[in-house]
Amino acid sequence: MIWDFRGPEALEIAKHHVVHLKEFATKESLAYIETAIEPVSEMYCMAFITVNEIDMKVYRDALRPHRGLVAK
């Protein structure tokens, strides 16, 4: 699941968002594979969390990501 952040503070906001993703997983006792940020440019950064399919709907419905990808 991916969240996009734009603007001069995009990197810092993405980093902070990842903290909240981890907090949510802990609070809800949900597993996740990884969380990370992906800087694209000075003005655009992505934050993401990779989860197992079994937990995907809980994350999606609660956190409303901007986009999602399915790994095969």
Side-chain angles (χ1 to χ4, degrees):
M1 296 176 190
I2 304 165
W3 290 263
D4 300 298
F5 300 98
R6 292 177 170 79
E9 300 297 321
L11 178 61
E12 294 306 313
I13 294 169
K15 287 178 183 178
H16 187 73
H17 191 70
V18 166
V19 170
H20 288 295
L21 293 173
K22 291 176 183 179
E23 288 173 347
F24 176 80
T26 300
K27 178 182 170 211
E28 299 296 323
S29 299
L30 294 169
Y32 63 92
I33 298 165
E34 75 174 310
T35 59
I37 59 165
E38 181 69 34
V40 178
S41 71
E42 284 186 31
M43 300 290 280
Y44 175 42
C45 190
M46 296 180 282
F48 68 88
I49 187 168
T50 305
V51 302
N52 292 312
E53 186 175 359
I54 194 165
D55 297 320
M56 184 274 303
K57 288 182 182 179
V58 175
Y59 278 102
R60 182 198 65 201
D61 293 349
L63 303 176
R64 299 185 342 198
H66 298 146
R67 296 180 284 134
L69 299 172
V70 176
K72 294 184 180 187

